[in-house]
Amino acid sequence: MRDSRHDLLFEPVQIGPVTAKNRFYQVPHCTGMGWLRPKMAAALRGMKAEGGWGVICTEWCSIHPASDDLPHPNAALWNQDHIRDHALMTEAVHSHGALAGVELWFGGASSANHYTRETAIDVTSIPNLAGHPYQPRAMGKSDIRELRRWHREAALRAKEADFDIVYVYATHGYLLSHFLSAQTNLRTDEYGGSMENRTRLLRELIEDTKDAVGDRCAVAVRYSVGGDDGEAQSLTQERRDGLEMLAELPDLWDININNYYQEMGVSRFIKEGSLEEHMSFVKSVTTKPVVTVGRFTSPDTMASQIKRGVVDFIGAARPSIADPFLPQKIEEG
């Protein structure tokens, strides 16, 4: 029998039109499987659902051939074959009463498109960020309209594949984060300049996704609130301002920081729950549920985060890989 101090970890939480059975949330993370090994990916995610995780998400999932990440095998939702691939995962996850989430992704200047040979596009023509000798084309208004169409169609495919949560992915150095940043967004039209303008595309994609699938699927946003060593406080404040502008639009906020060393730091150097100092303000500006990571392995630390109102969900990537049955073990005391 579980410790009564941990009961709140097993409370159901509503996310828009769906309800998670508990507060254990496997955030999107890479597997090295993606569209190459859909049966293996489904087995991995299904095992986590069996182990008690209430929400299980995919890795980064390309919305269109203009964004492929070879040699890394990302997930994809380009066509009917991909819908069938993902249905293997959603069925495995649902069989244990968990929710399935998909992280819709467009890489922009991070994509070399070695597989599709499509020309990459981004907010402006900046060098390829993965070190490949290619340069993306700057997006015109028609490209932005096309991107919105691609994203909407991918969201509809996600709904057909029976996902419960659909992400708009706005961090980790991919396309939307370039629109949000004053350092990379040098546009002079309504998508550049002020923070209100730089959040415009993210706002449109949230609204498009809710319009397309919001009757049955929750819409989540993955967003960074800062955290770079030596980063100017003004940049961190801009990210906070952007979050406040959009605070009530999505059904869930998945918060991280722009510092992989801390976000994924090993236990020898990084304490559990270390992102709290950066994102503890988030719950004060939105009524929507919030999830973040922090190498959570102690149920006492998890319960403390919930009890103090820091987060609504305990996010995990590597802890869920290291022990897919962690929630079940906490449940059983």
Side-chain angles (χ1 to χ4, degrees):
M1 179 178 292
R2 72 173 180 245
D3 189 317
S4 61
R5 294 175 301 167
H6 306 148
D7 287 349
L8 75 174
L9 297 174
F10 294 88
E11 296 170 346
V13 180
Q14 187 168 350
I15 313 171
V18 299
T19 302
K21 67 177 181 179
N22 60 35
R23 297 182 186 269
F24 295 96
Y25 193 114
Q26 182 246 281
V27 297
H29 73 74
C30 305
T31 61
M33 301 168 193
W35 59 268
L36 287 177
R37 302 176 180 89
K39 292 182 181 179
M40 189 183 293
L44 173 72
R45 308 294 187 189
M47 183 188 296
K48 295 182 186 189
E50 181 184 357
W53 297 87
V55 179
I56 295 100
C57 299
T58 67
E59 57 266 73
W60 71 139
C61 181
S62 173
I63 64 171
H64 186 271
S67 181
D68 92 70
D69 214 23
L70 276 183
H72 309 294
N74 55 272
L77 269 171
W78 300 346
N79 53 46
Q80 289 297 124
D81 288 342
H82 291 153
I83 293 173
R84 287 190 288 270
D85 288 347
H86 283 290
L88 298 172
M89 173 200 156
T90 57
E91 182 179 1
V93 168
H94 291 157
S95 69
H96 297 286
L99 300 180
V102 58
E103 183 181 55
L104 300 186
W105 166 76
F106 196 87
S110 294
S111 301
N113 296 340
H114 289 306
Y115 174 59
T116 64
R117 299 299 186 183
E118 292 264 359
T119 301
I121 55 175
D122 209 300
V123 59
T124 54
S125 184
I126 56 181
N128 180 274
L129 298 179
H132 301 292
Y134 304 105
Q135 187 118 346
R137 178 171 56 77
M139 296 175 70
K141 296 285 184 63
S142 62
D143 296 308
I144 291 175
R145 288 193 295 271
E146 280 292 274
L147 178 80
R148 291 178 62 184
R149 182 175 66 83
W150 297 342
H151 200 280
R152 180 186 179 89
E153 290 177 353
L156 289 169
R157 293 187 193 104
K159 182 179 179 181
E160 189 175 345
D162 212 13
F163 281 103
D164 308 287
I165 301 171
V166 178
Y167 268 76
V168 181
Y169 189 11
T171 183
H172 286 149
Y174 298 123
L175 178 75
L176 290 181
S177 62
H178 296 158
F179 270 86
L180 292 171
S181 171
Q183 293 179 309
T184 49
N185 187 342
L186 306 178
R187 300 176 72 98
T188 57
D189 60 10
E190 65 268 35
Y191 289 95
S194 68
M195 192 64 200
E196 183 177 3
N197 281 358
R198 284 181 276 127
T199 61
R200 186 182 304 276
L201 180 57
L202 176 54
R203 176 186 294 274
E204 289 173 343
L205 290 177
I206 297 170
E207 292 172 342
D208 290 347
T209 307
K210 295 201 82 166
D211 180 65
V213 302
D215 59 323
R216 192 180 65 73
C217 303
V219 176
V221 173
R222 206 171 198 189
Y223 187 91
S224 170
V225 291
D228 282 346
D229 289 334
E231 179 177 85
Q233 182 59 36
S234 59
L235 293 178
T236 298
Q237 186 59 51
E238 276 199 340
R239 293 194 184 96
R240 294 188 176 198
D241 293 344
L243 189 149
E244 290 191 43
M245 290 176 185
L246 305 171
E248 297 301 302
L249 266 185
D251 298 308
L252 176 136
W253 286 99
D254 181 338
I255 300 297
N256 60 29
I257 63 173
N258 283 340
N259 186 332
Y260 265 143
Y261 170 74
Q262 182 174 346
E263 191 178 25
M264 302 184 185
V266 296
S267 58
R268 179 178 294 179
F269 303 111
I270 304 295
K271 67 179 182 178
E272 192 176 11
S274 68
L275 270 63
E276 180 176 339
E277 62 178 306
H278 298 287
M279 54 79 57
S280 57
F281 78 96
V282 176
K283 287 289 293 172
S284 69
V285 300
T286 181
T287 64
K288 303 305 172 106
V290 173
V291 60
T292 195
V293 295
R295 200 182 50 75
F296 294 114
T297 53
S298 162
D300 293 333
T301 303
M302 297 176 188
S304 173
Q305 292 259 321
I306 302 295
K307 199 168 187 178
R308 290 182 294 111
V310 180
V311 293
D312 301 283
F313 288 99
I314 300 300
R318 290 169 307 138
S320 75
I321 302 167
D323 191 351
F325 290 85
L326 182 60
Q328 186 183 96
K329 291 175 180 177
I330 297 171
E331 171 89 76
E332 294 173 353

